[in-house]
Amino acid sequence: MHKLLSGALSTEKLVVKIKNLHPSLVGLKLVQMSDFHYADGLLSEKMLTEAIAISNAAKPDLVILTGDYVNAKAKPIHQLAPKLKNLQSRHGVYAILGNHDIAFPSSKPEITAALNNVGIKVLWNQIAYPLGNKLPLVGLADIYSREFNPEPIMNQLDSTTPCIVLSHNPDTAEILQKWRVDLQLSGHTHGGQIVIPGLGPAIIYYTKILKKIPKKIRRKLPFLRKTHSILYHWQWSEGLHQIGNNQLYVNRGLGTYFPGRLFCPPEVTIITLDVP
């Protein structure tokens, strides 16, 4: 049933070119996974096991997890974290949190501790150097958090040095144009889940239609009361994008919400770094 709703897992492979990338980092392999939503049957055990196997088979230099490990309450992280412990990487596994991971006051510390306890390093407005000082890794607070404030973090970086930024919501790419971001890795969107081939996420057209319905009518119909504003830049719902001088990659995630996915399979992303 779950597979019918979500579709088969897809492995996306791409090469990202970074200007002034140090020769020792050319060919570096990253694996990104995102939006597990490990609760309420939104991610099957079979798919999670398959995703971890795909990642390990790629023999990555670095594994990156870009948030939303749980759906609402933090408790499922205690079942998910031991499974994520099986991820293998030459330079470790790094993670950020998403909006679902901070849904309750106790969620952030509980999820952070659970991941840290299995060796996954959670970054929250922090800079790490798992690949050395030639390619800093920045992990930002979620945009919905009061602690989202990239300026003091990004200003610590040397603009002549390439960097990778982890930020759960791709809308932050607009804000981050003020700084050099050679590769931003995000999730959050689930790719829109239902995609119209050749046109993009169906939610774009749903929202446009919804706005044309008089508010008086919308108020009477609960499912029409709100427009879906989880993302403003739906043109960045999945894949690689050039945002000014910066690059953004958006992972479609592993978990699936009702009513399911259509032409938008869950994904594991394998990224190889290169020079232009």
Side-chain angles (χ1 to χ4, degrees):
M1 181 68 173
H2 187 279
K3 191 169 183 178
L4 289 174
L5 290 172
S6 69
L9 182 61
S10 174
T11 304
E12 303 294 340
K13 297 181 180 180
L14 68 151
V15 175
V16 173
K17 296 185 178 182
I18 294 179
K19 187 178 179 180
N20 305 129
L21 184 68
H22 193 272
S24 66
L25 299 173
V26 173
L28 193 91
K29 191 180 294 181
L30 313 176
V31 166
Q32 181 194 7
M33 287 187 276
S34 195
D35 295 83
F36 297 82
H37 293 282
Y38 190 77
D40 307 317
L42 300 180
L43 172 61
S44 71
E45 295 293 340
K46 182 180 178 182
M47 186 171 293
L48 176 61
T49 300
E50 185 182 357
I52 292 171
I54 289 170
S55 179
N56 290 344
K59 297 182 179 179
D61 295 288
L62 192 66
V63 172
I64 291 169
L65 312 177
T66 46
D68 279 0
Y69 308 96
V70 299
N71 191 42
K73 295 182 179 180
K75 187 177 180 181
I77 193 64
H78 301 292
Q79 286 74 53
L80 176 62
K83 300 175 191 297
L84 296 179
K85 186 179 181 179
N86 294 319
L87 287 166
Q88 300 166 8
S89 169
R90 183 180 175 191
H91 294 288
V93 182
Y94 284 77
I96 54 169
L97 303 183
N99 54 300
H100 285 262
D101 305 318
I102 58 172
F104 299 96
S106 63
S107 295
K108 178 177 173 284
E110 186 173 352
I111 292 170
T112 299
L115 293 174
N116 284 340
N117 287 342
V118 297
I120 297 172
K121 302 169 185 66
V122 179
L123 303 178
W124 182 267
N125 286 335
Q126 291 171 287
I127 303 172
Y129 296 89
L131 305 170
N133 60 9
K134 302 297 183 183
L135 190 63
L137 183 68
V138 182
L140 297 178
D142 186 71
I143 194 171
Y144 293 131
S145 165
R146 292 178 181 177
E147 296 177 48
F148 176 76
N149 182 19
E151 187 165 357
I153 313 302
M154 299 303 295
N155 284 347
Q156 295 178 43
L157 301 172
D158 184 346
S159 62
T160 64
T161 302
C163 76
I164 295 174
V165 174
L166 315 182
S167 184
H168 178 70
N169 191 318
D171 276 336
T172 59
E174 183 174 26
I175 300 166
L176 292 172
Q177 287 183 84
K178 292 169 59 178
W179 299 278
R180 174 176 180 169
V181 177
D182 295 86
L183 178 60
Q184 174 178 335
L185 296 176
S186 298
H188 185 62
T189 67
H190 297 202
Q193 285 207 170
I194 297 175
V195 173
I196 303 170
L199 294 176
I203 194 170
I204 297 174
Y205 304 95
Y206 170 82
T207 303
K208 286 180 179 179
I209 293 169
L210 196 59
K211 287 179 178 178
K212 293 181 179 180
I213 298 173
K215 288 184 179 180
K216 288 182 180 180
I217 296 175
R218 274 193 274 161
R219 290 193 194 104
K220 294 178 181 179
L221 301 172
F223 61 93
L224 292 180
R225 282 177 188 166
K226 293 182 180 179
T227 57
H228 288 67
S229 59
I230 66 161
L231 191 73
Y232 292 103
H233 295 90
W234 277 107
Q235 70 272 29
W236 305 338
S237 62
E238 63 173 306
L240 186 65
H241 303 272
Q242 187 77 34
I243 315 295
N245 294 321
N246 298 341
Q247 295 184 94
L248 164 70
Y249 187 83
V250 183
N251 180 295
R252 294 188 299 270
L254 292 171
T256 299
Y257 277 133
F258 179 84
R261 292 176 180 263
L262 183 64
F263 302 115
C264 186
E267 74 168 281
V268 173
T269 313
I270 302 173
I271 299 171
T272 303
L273 302 185
D274 201 354
V275 290

